[in-house]
Amino acid sequence: MNEIARRLGIRKATIIDWLKRESYEERRGWNQGRRVYTTDEEERVASLKRERIDRKRYFLGAPHVRMDYAKKFPDDPLPSLWFVHDVVRRQGLQTHEPKKRKKGQNIVSRLKFPMRSIVGLGKIQQASDFIGKKYVAGQKEPISIFSTSYYQWLKVYQVWRVSSEKAENAITCLTELWKRFPVPNVMRMDNGMTFRGTGRAEAHVGRCVVFLLNRSVTPLFSSPYHSYTNPHIEGHNRTFTEKLWSTEHFTSDEQIDEACMRFNAESEEFCRWNFKDRLTDRALRFLPETSEPSEPEVLRSAKGKNICFIRFVERWKEKGEECGVVILNRFVCIPDPYLNQYVFVTFDLETASIRVTSEHDGHTTQILKQRFPYTL
């Protein structure tokens, strides 16, 4: 109450009086501190939700219903997310089952997941992946889909049909995207050769990574075989499969392209509405319209350039049961006390060295630092 009084510049006694009241002189009314919505507002929300369902929109959640409400009734106060969820539930308009709590959700504390280290890499973070092969009726060749999403500071999902799962296609899609949306500080990816660059050579930095480094984007690789270490893009891929691929019957590439365009347009519409203030920040970086994805990728400078990795420490039979992790196909020995937990690895290209840290209760401890020669 002291802080509220200070911020509003009024007496504390006034705040105490407000909190004691059960109703206020306001046309919608308040009940014990909670806003009481009118029947008209409830019907508006239900109608907008039904409209999204009837139009077969891909995004049906409460935030998107609120966006529709704001656009249709610009002079009226926005309903809360709680109220939208409540109306949808009472009207029987749910389009999916509530998420169930899964085992292992205390991974951050139990397995020392380096959450603070990841968040601290930069304000704007993005994730990219290729969605598993899809097949169109009547076609023998599989369809490849590249997907990407901003998951920190911004939220927008984009998907494209591409000819194959190649670094060139990922680079082309990101180049076009970053002309309209800001270049992120961090790009989170899995350990596929498309992103990493090679399946055999040790400590080789591939083309996709160089593309990111040249644009001052820090590549962040998730832990191999632990898909939940890249939850944002994995969840998006599931959304794409459930909402788009499983609900449509595609017979041609053109139909897929059209569906992807609709999917992207819906996601972009919400992003530009929900984050309109953030998107006007003059500090944001965009690629110039003249940028060409086909430019040869040569690392312009190693100064200040890092590649980061989330790794799970385990014993390796191939290394005589030694405890360690693999970074760009090179084994790095880790002391036994850190077995069966996550570590955060920073590969500094300027000094050609790696630094491995462990995180506990938000505090990081350096485990080791050693030379790490590499090739481009």
Side-chain angles (χ1 to χ4, degrees), residues 126-130 146-150 158 160 162 167-184 186-189 195 208-209 211-212 215 217 286-288 291-293:
Q126 189 176 348
S128 293
D129 194 14
F130 284 95
F146 177 74
S147 66
T148 188
S149 68
Y150 291 84
Q158 300 286 279
W160 299 270
V162 293
E168 290 79 0
N169 290 327
I171 291 172
T172 298
C173 292
L174 291 173
T175 299
E176 292 303 312
L177 177 68
W178 290 342
K179 294 177 183 178
R180 299 180 295 111
F181 285 96
V183 178
V186 179
M187 176 61 74
R188 201 163 176 173
M189 304 169 289
F195 300 117
C208 191
V209 173
F211 164 79
L212 296 173
R215 286 145 187 86
V217 179
F286 295 85
L287 293 186
S291 294
E292 292 292 336

mmCIF file of all heavy atoms in Angstrom, residues 126-130 146-150 158 160 162 167-184 186-189 195 208-209 211-212 215 217 286-288 291-293:
data_model
loop_
_atom_site.group_PDB
_atom_site.id
_atom_site.type_symbol
_atom_site.label_atom_id
_atom_site.label_comp_id
_atom_site.label_asym_id
_atom_site.label_seq_id
_atom_site.Cartn_x
_atom_site.Cartn_y
_atom_site.Cartn_z
ATOM 1 N N GLN A 126 15.371 -16.321 -30.711
ATOM 2 C CA GLN A 126 14.603 -16.975 -31.764
ATOM 3 C C GLN A 126 15.035 -18.434 -31.840
ATOM 4 O O GLN A 126 16.141 -18.792 -31.438
ATOM 5 C CB GLN A 126 14.876 -16.249 -33.094
ATOM 6 C CG GLN A 126 14.003 -16.661 -34.259
ATOM 7 C CD GLN A 126 14.291 -15.807 -35.501
ATOM 8 O OE1 GLN A 126 14.969 -14.786 -35.415
ATOM 9 N NE2 GLN A 126 13.807 -16.235 -36.635
ATOM 10 N N ALA A 127 14.169 -19.291 -32.361
ATOM 11 C CA ALA A 127 14.493 -20.703 -32.542
ATOM 12 C C ALA A 127 14.107 -21.132 -33.950
ATOM 13 O O ALA A 127 13.133 -20.626 -34.519
ATOM 14 C CB ALA A 127 13.755 -21.563 -31.515
ATOM 15 N N SER A 128 14.884 -22.046 -34.524
ATOM 16 C CA SER A 128 14.619 -22.522 -35.887
ATOM 17 C C SER A 128 14.788 -24.030 -35.966
ATOM 18 O O SER A 128 15.584 -24.620 -35.224
ATOM 19 C CB SER A 128 15.564 -21.852 -36.893
ATOM 20 O OG SER A 128 15.295 -20.482 -37.007
ATOM 21 N N ASP A 129 14.054 -24.626 -36.899
ATOM 22 C CA ASP A 129 14.126 -26.079 -37.066
ATOM 23 C C ASP A 129 13.467 -26.462 -38.381
ATOM 24 O O ASP A 129 12.715 -25.670 -38.973
ATOM 25 C CB ASP A 129 13.416 -26.779 -35.906
ATOM 26 C CG ASP A 129 13.754 -28.268 -35.834
ATOM 27 O OD1 ASP A 129 14.717 -28.683 -36.502
ATOM 28 O OD2 ASP A 129 13.060 -28.998 -35.107
ATOM 29 N N PHE A 130 13.742 -27.662 -38.836
ATOM 30 C CA PHE A 130 13.013 -28.247 -39.954
ATOM 31 C C PHE A 130 12.002 -29.232 -39.382
ATOM 32 O O PHE A 130 12.366 -30.137 -38.620
ATOM 33 C CB PHE A 130 13.962 -28.972 -40.917
ATOM 34 C CG PHE A 130 14.752 -28.048 -41.798
ATOM 35 C CD1 PHE A 130 16.031 -27.666 -41.440
ATOM 36 C CD2 PHE A 130 14.205 -27.559 -42.971
ATOM 37 C CE1 PHE A 130 16.762 -26.806 -42.246
ATOM 38 C CE2 PHE A 130 14.934 -26.687 -43.785
ATOM 39 C CZ PHE A 130 16.212 -26.317 -43.421
ATOM 40 N N PHE A 146 10.426 -25.542 -43.229
ATOM 41 C CA PHE A 146 11.311 -24.816 -42.315
ATOM 42 C C PHE A 146 10.453 -23.937 -41.415
ATOM 43 O O PHE A 146 9.546 -23.245 -41.889
ATOM 44 C CB PHE A 146 12.293 -23.939 -43.092
ATOM 45 C CG PHE A 146 13.190 -23.108 -42.205
ATOM 46 C CD1 PHE A 146 14.232 -23.690 -41.502
ATOM 47 C CD2 PHE A 146 12.981 -21.738 -42.069
ATOM 48 C CE1 PHE A 146 15.059 -22.926 -40.683
ATOM 49 C CE2 PHE A 146 13.793 -20.968 -41.252
ATOM 50 C CZ PHE A 146 14.844 -21.569 -40.563
ATOM 51 N N SER A 147 10.717 -23.985 -40.127
ATOM 52 C CA SER A 147 9.920 -23.199 -39.177
ATOM 53 C C SER A 147 10.834 -22.402 -38.260
ATOM 54 O O SER A 147 11.956 -22.830 -37.949
ATOM 55 C CB SER A 147 9.014 -24.114 -38.339
ATOM 56 O OG SER A 147 9.807 -24.937 -37.501
ATOM 57 N N THR A 148 10.360 -21.259 -37.840
ATOM 58 C CA THR A 148 11.124 -20.431 -36.911
ATOM 59 C C THR A 148 10.163 -19.646 -36.032
ATOM 60 O O THR A 148 9.028 -19.360 -36.437
ATOM 61 C CB THR A 148 12.058 -19.471 -37.683
ATOM 62 O OG1 THR A 148 12.915 -18.803 -36.758
ATOM 63 C CG2 THR A 148 11.275 -18.433 -38.467
ATOM 64 N N SER A 149 10.599 -19.329 -34.829
ATOM 65 C CA SER A 149 9.742 -18.571 -33.912
ATOM 66 C C SER A 149 10.595 -17.719 -32.983
ATOM 67 O O SER A 149 11.656 -18.138 -32.534
ATOM 68 C CB SER A 149 8.868 -19.515 -33.076
ATOM 69 O OG SER A 149 9.671 -20.263 -32.173
ATOM 70 N N TYR A 150 10.128 -16.502 -32.729
ATOM 71 C CA TYR A 150 10.695 -15.682 -31.663
ATOM 72 C C TYR A 150 10.028 -16.145 -30.366
ATOM 73 O O TYR A 150 8.802 -16.268 -30.304
ATOM 74 C CB TYR A 150 10.389 -14.208 -31.882
ATOM 75 C CG TYR A 150 11.096 -13.575 -33.060
ATOM 76 C CD1 TYR A 150 10.581 -13.686 -34.348
ATOM 77 C CD2 TYR A 150 12.268 -12.846 -32.888
ATOM 78 C CE1 TYR A 150 11.218 -13.093 -35.430
ATOM 79 C CE2 TYR A 150 12.913 -12.248 -33.952
ATOM 80 C CZ TYR A 150 12.387 -12.376 -35.219
ATOM 81 O OH TYR A 150 13.016 -11.793 -36.289
ATOM 82 N N GLN A 158 6.641 -18.513 -37.989
ATOM 83 C CA GLN A 158 6.621 -18.472 -39.448
ATOM 84 C C GLN A 158 7.068 -19.828 -39.996
ATOM 85 O O GLN A 158 7.989 -20.462 -39.450
ATOM 86 C CB GLN A 158 7.548 -17.376 -39.978
ATOM 87 C CG GLN A 158 7.183 -15.970 -39.510
ATOM 88 C CD GLN A 158 5.959 -15.393 -40.199
ATOM 89 O OE1 GLN A 158 6.018 -14.888 -41.302
ATOM 90 N NE2 GLN A 158 4.817 -15.467 -39.515
ATOM 91 N N TRP A 160 7.650 -22.146 -43.865
ATOM 92 C CA TRP A 160 7.760 -22.131 -45.318
ATOM 93 C C TRP A 160 7.999 -23.541 -45.830
ATOM 94 O O TRP A 160 8.717 -24.333 -45.196
ATOM 95 C CB TRP A 160 8.942 -21.272 -45.783
ATOM 96 C CG TRP A 160 8.893 -19.836 -45.412
ATOM 97 C CD1 TRP A 160 8.349 -18.799 -46.123
ATOM 98 C CD2 TRP A 160 9.418 -19.236 -44.220
ATOM 99 N NE1 TRP A 160 8.503 -17.619 -45.469
ATOM 100 C CE2 TRP A 160 9.153 -17.847 -44.287
ATOM 101 C CE3 TRP A 160 10.092 -19.738 -43.096
ATOM 102 C CZ2 TRP A 160 9.540 -16.959 -43.287
ATOM 103 C CZ3 TRP A 160 10.473 -18.866 -42.102
ATOM 104 C CH2 TRP A 160 10.198 -17.494 -42.199
ATOM 105 N N VAL A 162 10.073 -25.690 -48.247
ATOM 106 C CA VAL A 162 11.369 -25.534 -48.910
ATOM 107 C C VAL A 162 11.688 -26.804 -49.698
ATOM 108 O O VAL A 162 11.092 -27.863 -49.472
ATOM 109 C CB VAL A 162 12.496 -25.244 -47.894
ATOM 110 C CG1 VAL A 162 12.298 -23.877 -47.256
ATOM 111 C CG2 VAL A 162 12.566 -26.317 -46.826
ATOM 112 N N ALA A 167 21.143 -25.962 -45.509
ATOM 113 C CA ALA A 167 21.477 -24.688 -44.872
ATOM 114 C C ALA A 167 21.079 -23.514 -45.751
ATOM 115 O O ALA A 167 20.622 -22.484 -45.254
ATOM 116 C CB ALA A 167 22.977 -24.647 -44.571
ATOM 117 N N GLU A 168 21.219 -23.677 -47.076
ATOM 118 C CA GLU A 168 20.886 -22.586 -47.992
ATOM 119 C C GLU A 168 19.430 -22.164 -47.858
ATOM 120 O O GLU A 168 19.100 -20.977 -47.923
ATOM 121 C CB GLU A 168 21.172 -22.996 -49.441
ATOM 122 C CG GLU A 168 22.650 -23.131 -49.778
ATOM 123 C CD GLU A 168 23.261 -24.434 -49.289
ATOM 124 O OE1 GLU A 168 22.521 -25.256 -48.680
ATOM 125 O OE2 GLU A 168 24.463 -24.642 -49.503
ATOM 126 N N ASN A 169 18.544 -23.148 -47.677
ATOM 127 C CA ASN A 169 17.121 -22.826 -47.554
ATOM 128 C C ASN A 169 16.818 -22.114 -46.238
ATOM 129 O O ASN A 169 16.001 -21.196 -46.186
ATOM 130 C CB ASN A 169 16.290 -24.096 -47.681
ATOM 131 C CG ASN A 169 16.296 -24.650 -49.088
ATOM 132 O OD1 ASN A 169 16.352 -23.900 -50.061
ATOM 133 N ND2 ASN A 169 16.255 -25.964 -49.223
ATOM 134 N N ALA A 170 17.468 -22.553 -45.168
ATOM 135 C CA ALA A 170 17.282 -21.882 -43.882
ATOM 136 C C ALA A 170 17.776 -20.443 -43.960
ATOM 137 O O ALA A 170 17.112 -19.506 -43.471
ATOM 138 C CB ALA A 170 18.025 -22.639 -42.781
ATOM 139 N N ILE A 171 18.915 -20.239 -44.591
ATOM 140 C CA ILE A 171 19.490 -18.901 -44.727
ATOM 141 C C ILE A 171 18.571 -18.001 -45.556
ATOM 142 O O ILE A 171 18.349 -16.831 -45.220
ATOM 143 C CB ILE A 171 20.892 -18.994 -45.361
ATOM 144 C CG1 ILE A 171 21.874 -19.640 -44.375
ATOM 145 C CG2 ILE A 171 21.384 -17.615 -45.791
ATOM 146 C CD1 ILE A 171 23.235 -19.951 -44.967
ATOM 147 N N THR A 172 18.019 -18.548 -46.638
ATOM 148 C CA THR A 172 17.116 -17.769 -47.489
ATOM 149 C C THR A 172 15.880 -17.310 -46.711
ATOM 150 O O THR A 172 15.484 -16.139 -46.774
ATOM 151 C CB THR A 172 16.684 -18.593 -48.708
ATOM 152 O OG1 THR A 172 17.833 -18.916 -49.492
ATOM 153 C CG2 THR A 172 15.690 -17.828 -49.569
ATOM 154 N N CYS A 173 15.267 -18.235 -45.956
ATOM 155 C CA CYS A 173 14.063 -17.895 -45.193
ATOM 156 C C CYS A 173 14.355 -16.839 -44.122
ATOM 157 O O CYS A 173 13.592 -15.882 -43.945
ATOM 158 C CB CYS A 173 13.488 -19.154 -44.545
ATOM 159 S SG CYS A 173 12.806 -20.359 -45.712
ATOM 160 N N LEU A 174 15.472 -16.997 -43.402
ATOM 161 C CA LEU A 174 15.806 -16.052 -42.341
ATOM 162 C C LEU A 174 16.159 -14.680 -42.912
ATOM 163 O O LEU A 174 15.817 -13.641 -42.328
ATOM 164 C CB LEU A 174 16.969 -16.596 -41.510
ATOM 165 C CG LEU A 174 16.643 -17.830 -40.660
ATOM 166 C CD1 LEU A 174 17.904 -18.375 -40.009
ATOM 167 C CD2 LEU A 174 15.589 -17.519 -39.607
ATOM 168 N N THR A 175 16.837 -14.668 -44.061
ATOM 169 C CA THR A 175 17.185 -13.394 -44.689
ATOM 170 C C THR A 175 15.931 -12.595 -45.023
ATOM 171 O O THR A 175 15.851 -11.389 -44.762
ATOM 172 C CB THR A 175 18.008 -13.633 -45.966
ATOM 173 O OG1 THR A 175 19.227 -14.307 -45.631
ATOM 174 C CG2 THR A 175 18.347 -12.316 -46.651
ATOM 175 N N GLU A 176 14.945 -13.264 -45.596
ATOM 176 C CA GLU A 176 13.700 -12.583 -45.941
ATOM 177 C C GLU A 176 12.932 -12.152 -44.696
ATOM 178 O O GLU A 176 12.341 -11.066 -44.660
ATOM 179 C CB GLU A 176 12.831 -13.483 -46.826
ATOM 180 C CG GLU A 176 13.405 -13.736 -48.209
ATOM 181 C CD GLU A 176 13.667 -12.442 -48.959
ATOM 182 O OE1 GLU A 176 12.764 -11.565 -48.981
ATOM 183 O OE2 GLU A 176 14.774 -12.284 -49.508
ATOM 184 N N LEU A 177 12.936 -12.992 -43.669
ATOM 185 C CA LEU A 177 12.210 -12.674 -42.441
ATOM 186 C C LEU A 177 12.804 -11.452 -41.749
ATOM 187 O O LEU A 177 12.065 -10.569 -41.267
ATOM 188 C CB LEU A 177 12.242 -13.870 -41.488
ATOM 189 C CG LEU A 177 11.573 -13.659 -40.125
ATOM 190 C CD1 LEU A 177 10.068 -13.504 -40.291
ATOM 191 C CD2 LEU A 177 11.884 -14.802 -39.178
ATOM 192 N N TRP A 178 14.121 -11.372 -41.696
ATOM 193 C CA TRP A 178 14.783 -10.289 -40.956
ATOM 194 C C TRP A 178 14.739 -8.950 -41.681
ATOM 195 O O TRP A 178 15.233 -7.955 -41.166
ATOM 196 C CB TRP A 178 16.221 -10.691 -40.643
ATOM 197 C CG TRP A 178 16.278 -11.796 -39.627
ATOM 198 C CD1 TRP A 178 15.288 -12.184 -38.779
ATOM 199 C CD2 TRP A 178 17.380 -12.667 -39.373
ATOM 200 N NE1 TRP A 178 15.690 -13.237 -38.001
ATOM 201 C CE2 TRP A 178 16.969 -13.561 -38.346
ATOM 202 C CE3 TRP A 178 18.658 -12.793 -39.897
ATOM 203 C CZ2 TRP A 178 17.809 -14.547 -37.848
ATOM 204 C CZ3 TRP A 178 19.497 -13.773 -39.411
ATOM 205 C CH2 TRP A 178 19.083 -14.642 -38.393
ATOM 206 N N LYS A 179 14.164 -8.921 -42.862
ATOM 207 C CA LYS A 179 13.891 -7.632 -43.501
ATOM 208 C C LYS A 179 12.631 -7.003 -42.907
ATOM 209 O O LYS A 179 12.448 -5.792 -42.981
ATOM 210 C CB LYS A 179 13.712 -7.827 -45.012
ATOM 211 C CG LYS A 179 14.980 -8.279 -45.735
ATOM 212 C CD LYS A 179 14.703 -8.523 -47.206
ATOM 213 C CE LYS A 179 15.939 -9.049 -47.928
ATOM 214 N NZ LYS A 179 15.671 -9.331 -49.366
ATOM 215 N N ARG A 180 11.750 -7.828 -42.331
ATOM 216 C CA ARG A 180 10.480 -7.351 -41.773
ATOM 217 C C ARG A 180 10.438 -7.420 -40.254
ATOM 218 O O ARG A 180 9.708 -6.674 -39.604
ATOM 219 C CB ARG A 180 9.313 -8.167 -42.348
ATOM 220 C CG ARG A 180 9.173 -8.063 -43.843
ATOM 221 C CD ARG A 180 8.008 -8.872 -44.372
ATOM 222 N NE ARG A 180 8.195 -10.309 -44.173
ATOM 223 C CZ ARG A 180 7.498 -11.045 -43.333
ATOM 224 N NH1 ARG A 180 6.566 -10.484 -42.578
ATOM 225 N NH2 ARG A 180 7.718 -12.338 -43.230
ATOM 226 N N PHE A 181 11.179 -8.359 -39.680
ATOM 227 C CA PHE A 181 11.236 -8.526 -38.234
ATOM 228 C C PHE A 181 12.685 -8.387 -37.782
ATOM 229 O O PHE A 181 13.610 -8.648 -38.546
ATOM 230 C CB PHE A 181 10.669 -9.888 -37.815
ATOM 231 C CG PHE A 181 9.177 -9.966 -37.888
ATOM 232 C CD1 PHE A 181 8.554 -10.499 -39.001
ATOM 233 C CD2 PHE A 181 8.392 -9.489 -36.858
ATOM 234 C CE1 PHE A 181 7.170 -10.565 -39.082
ATOM 235 C CE2 PHE A 181 7.005 -9.538 -36.919
ATOM 236 C CZ PHE A 181 6.396 -10.084 -38.035
ATOM 237 N N PRO A 182 12.901 -7.988 -36.526
ATOM 238 C CA PRO A 182 14.268 -7.697 -36.074
ATOM 239 C C PRO A 182 15.187 -8.908 -36.060
ATOM 240 O O PRO A 182 14.762 -10.037 -35.785
ATOM 241 C CB PRO A 182 14.057 -7.146 -34.656
ATOM 242 C CG PRO A 182 12.720 -7.646 -34.233
ATOM 243 C CD PRO A 182 11.900 -7.730 -35.471
ATOM 244 N N VAL A 183 16.452 -8.639 -36.346
ATOM 245 C CA VAL A 183 17.491 -9.670 -36.220
ATOM 246 C C VAL A 183 17.652 -9.965 -34.729
ATOM 247 O O VAL A 183 17.826 -9.043 -33.928
ATOM 248 C CB VAL A 183 18.827 -9.169 -36.815
ATOM 249 C CG1 VAL A 183 19.911 -10.229 -36.628
ATOM 250 C CG2 VAL A 183 18.655 -8.828 -38.285
ATOM 251 N N PRO A 184 17.583 -11.222 -34.319
ATOM 252 C CA PRO A 184 17.644 -11.542 -32.888
ATOM 253 C C PRO A 184 19.074 -11.471 -32.353
ATOM 254 O O PRO A 184 20.040 -11.375 -33.110
ATOM 255 C CB PRO A 184 17.104 -12.972 -32.837
ATOM 256 C CG PRO A 184 17.551 -13.565 -34.144
ATOM 257 C CD PRO A 184 17.437 -12.433 -35.148
ATOM 258 N N VAL A 186 19.975 -14.042 -30.313
ATOM 259 C CA VAL A 186 20.284 -15.465 -30.152
ATOM 260 C C VAL A 186 19.430 -16.288 -31.102
ATOM 261 O O VAL A 186 18.248 -15.985 -31.293
ATOM 262 C CB VAL A 186 20.013 -15.922 -28.691
ATOM 263 C CG1 VAL A 186 20.306 -17.409 -28.513
ATOM 264 C CG2 VAL A 186 20.827 -15.097 -27.710
ATOM 265 N N MET A 187 20.034 -17.321 -31.696
ATOM 266 C CA MET A 187 19.281 -18.280 -32.515
ATOM 267 C C MET A 187 19.484 -19.675 -31.914
ATOM 268 O O MET A 187 20.595 -20.192 -31.857
ATOM 269 C CB MET A 187 19.774 -18.275 -33.959
ATOM 270 C CG MET A 187 19.083 -19.321 -34.841
ATOM 271 S SD MET A 187 17.293 -19.074 -34.973
ATOM 272 C CE MET A 187 17.249 -17.653 -36.060
ATOM 273 N N ARG A 188 18.384 -20.257 -31.463
ATOM 274 C CA ARG A 188 18.422 -21.575 -30.820
ATOM 275 C C ARG A 188 18.106 -22.653 -31.851
ATOM 276 O O ARG A 188 17.118 -22.552 -32.583
ATOM 277 C CB ARG A 188 17.391 -21.599 -29.686
ATOM 278 C CG ARG A 188 17.626 -22.647 -28.626
ATOM 279 C CD ARG A 188 16.802 -22.268 -27.420
ATOM 280 N NE ARG A 188 16.856 -23.227 -26.350
ATOM 281 C CZ ARG A 188 16.315 -23.034 -25.148
ATOM 282 N NH1 ARG A 188 15.686 -21.908 -24.904
ATOM 283 N NH2 ARG A 188 16.399 -23.955 -24.216
ATOM 284 N N MET A 189 18.938 -23.705 -31.909
ATOM 285 C CA MET A 189 18.797 -24.745 -32.928
ATOM 286 C C MET A 189 19.106 -26.111 -32.329
ATOM 287 O O MET A 189 19.676 -26.214 -31.237
ATOM 288 C CB MET A 189 19.772 -24.473 -34.088
ATOM 289 C CG MET A 189 19.628 -23.104 -34.733
ATOM 290 S SD MET A 189 20.994 -22.740 -35.858
ATOM 291 C CE MET A 189 22.349 -22.499 -34.700
ATOM 292 N N PHE A 195 22.353 -27.371 -39.521
ATOM 293 C CA PHE A 195 22.735 -26.194 -38.759
ATOM 294 C C PHE A 195 24.187 -26.250 -38.304
ATOM 295 O O PHE A 195 24.900 -25.250 -38.316
ATOM 296 C CB PHE A 195 21.822 -26.036 -37.545
ATOM 297 C CG PHE A 195 20.371 -25.880 -37.905
ATOM 298 C CD1 PHE A 195 19.433 -26.814 -37.509
ATOM 299 C CD2 PHE A 195 19.943 -24.793 -38.650
ATOM 300 C CE1 PHE A 195 18.086 -26.668 -37.844
ATOM 301 C CE2 PHE A 195 18.609 -24.634 -38.995
ATOM 302 C CZ PHE A 195 17.685 -25.580 -38.588
ATOM 303 N N CYS A 208 25.804 -22.260 -42.004
ATOM 304 C CA CYS A 208 24.662 -21.645 -41.322
ATOM 305 C C CYS A 208 25.119 -20.875 -40.087
ATOM 306 O O CYS A 208 24.636 -19.776 -39.808
ATOM 307 C CB CYS A 208 23.654 -22.722 -40.937
ATOM 308 S SG CYS A 208 22.072 -22.073 -40.366
ATOM 309 N N VAL A 209 26.084 -21.446 -39.352
ATOM 310 C CA VAL A 209 26.606 -20.780 -38.157
ATOM 311 C C VAL A 209 27.344 -19.509 -38.549
ATOM 312 O O VAL A 209 27.210 -18.465 -37.898
ATOM 313 C CB VAL A 209 27.522 -21.736 -37.370
ATOM 314 C CG1 VAL A 209 28.205 -21.006 -36.221
ATOM 315 C CG2 VAL A 209 26.721 -22.919 -36.827
ATOM 316 N N PHE A 211 26.798 -17.676 -41.156
ATOM 317 C CA PHE A 211 25.760 -16.721 -41.543
ATOM 318 C C PHE A 211 25.241 -15.975 -40.320
ATOM 319 O O PHE A 211 25.073 -14.745 -40.338
ATOM 320 C CB PHE A 211 24.624 -17.460 -42.251
ATOM 321 C CG PHE A 211 23.352 -16.678 -42.369
ATOM 322 C CD1 PHE A 211 23.197 -15.705 -43.345
ATOM 323 C CD2 PHE A 211 22.286 -16.920 -41.504
ATOM 324 C CE1 PHE A 211 22.018 -14.975 -43.453
ATOM 325 C CE2 PHE A 211 21.103 -16.202 -41.605
ATOM 326 C CZ PHE A 211 20.970 -15.233 -42.585
ATOM 327 N N LEU A 212 24.995 -16.694 -39.239
ATOM 328 C CA LEU A 212 24.491 -16.069 -38.014
ATOM 329 C C LEU A 212 25.545 -15.174 -37.373
ATOM 330 O O LEU A 212 25.260 -14.048 -36.964
ATOM 331 C CB LEU A 212 24.037 -17.146 -37.029
ATOM 332 C CG LEU A 212 22.865 -18.026 -37.463
ATOM 333 C CD1 LEU A 212 22.647 -19.157 -36.468
ATOM 334 C CD2 LEU A 212 21.599 -17.213 -37.624
ATOM 335 N N ARG A 215 26.068 -11.765 -38.718
ATOM 336 C CA ARG A 215 24.992 -10.827 -38.405
ATOM 337 C C ARG A 215 24.853 -10.613 -36.904
ATOM 338 O O ARG A 215 23.812 -10.179 -36.411
ATOM 339 C CB ARG A 215 23.691 -11.327 -39.027
ATOM 340 C CG ARG A 215 23.693 -11.109 -40.538
ATOM 341 C CD ARG A 215 22.986 -12.198 -41.308
ATOM 342 N NE ARG A 215 23.188 -11.997 -42.756
ATOM 343 C CZ ARG A 215 24.253 -12.450 -43.417
ATOM 344 N NH1 ARG A 215 25.196 -13.126 -42.781
ATOM 345 N NH2 ARG A 215 24.388 -12.225 -44.719
ATOM 346 N N VAL A 217 24.552 -12.650 -34.462
ATOM 347 C CA VAL A 217 23.579 -13.510 -33.794
ATOM 348 C C VAL A 217 24.349 -14.664 -33.140
ATOM 349 O O VAL A 217 25.155 -15.319 -33.807
ATOM 350 C CB VAL A 217 22.543 -14.081 -34.785
ATOM 351 C CG1 VAL A 217 21.558 -14.995 -34.061
ATOM 352 C CG2 VAL A 217 21.817 -12.947 -35.496
ATOM 353 N N PHE A 286 17.488 -4.553 -38.512
ATOM 354 C CA PHE A 286 16.837 -5.224 -39.629
ATOM 355 C C PHE A 286 17.839 -5.378 -40.771
ATOM 356 O O PHE A 286 18.755 -4.558 -40.909
ATOM 357 C CB PHE A 286 15.626 -4.427 -40.123
ATOM 358 C CG PHE A 286 14.511 -4.308 -39.125
ATOM 359 C CD1 PHE A 286 14.523 -3.297 -38.158
ATOM 360 C CD2 PHE A 286 13.461 -5.210 -39.132
ATOM 361 C CE1 PHE A 286 13.496 -3.180 -37.240
ATOM 362 C CE2 PHE A 286 12.425 -5.098 -38.213
ATOM 363 C CZ PHE A 286 12.446 -4.088 -37.266
ATOM 364 N N LEU A 287 17.656 -6.403 -41.574
ATOM 365 C CA LEU A 287 18.497 -6.547 -42.752
ATOM 366 C C LEU A 287 17.989 -5.603 -43.843
ATOM 367 O O LEU A 287 16.775 -5.414 -43.984
ATOM 368 C CB LEU A 287 18.475 -7.983 -43.271
ATOM 369 C CG LEU A 287 19.102 -9.052 -42.375
ATOM 370 C CD1 LEU A 287 19.138 -10.396 -43.106
ATOM 371 C CD2 LEU A 287 20.508 -8.658 -41.945
ATOM 372 N N PRO A 288 18.868 -5.018 -44.615
ATOM 373 C CA PRO A 288 18.427 -4.143 -45.704
ATOM 374 C C PRO A 288 17.679 -4.922 -46.775
ATOM 375 O O PRO A 288 17.901 -6.123 -46.956
ATOM 376 C CB PRO A 288 19.741 -3.561 -46.241
ATOM 377 C CG PRO A 288 20.793 -4.520 -45.814
ATOM 378 C CD PRO A 288 20.335 -5.104 -44.509
ATOM 379 N N SER A 291 19.561 -7.204 -49.195
ATOM 380 C CA SER A 291 20.308 -8.384 -48.748
ATOM 381 C C SER A 291 19.995 -9.582 -49.626
ATOM 382 O O SER A 291 18.832 -9.866 -49.921
ATOM 383 C CB SER A 291 19.972 -8.711 -47.292
ATOM 384 O OG SER A 291 20.417 -7.691 -46.442
ATOM 385 N N GLU A 292 21.045 -10.307 -50.016
ATOM 386 C CA GLU A 292 20.895 -11.496 -50.845
ATOM 387 C C GLU A 292 21.365 -12.717 -50.070
ATOM 388 O O GLU A 292 22.497 -12.751 -49.589
ATOM 389 C CB GLU A 292 21.698 -11.358 -52.140
ATOM 390 C CG GLU A 292 21.166 -10.306 -53.095
ATOM 391 C CD GLU A 292 19.811 -10.686 -53.679
ATOM 392 O OE1 GLU A 292 19.505 -11.892 -53.710
ATOM 393 O OE2 GLU A 292 19.065 -9.787 -54.088
ATOM 394 N N PRO A 293 20.517 -13.742 -49.955
ATOM 395 C CA PRO A 293 20.914 -14.938 -49.204
ATOM 396 C C PRO A 293 21.991 -15.761 -49.889
ATOM 397 O O PRO A 293 22.596 -16.628 -49.287
ATOM 398 C CB PRO A 293 19.604 -15.729 -49.111
ATOM 399 C CG PRO A 293 18.798 -15.273 -50.277
ATOM 400 C CD PRO A 293 19.153 -13.826 -50.453
#
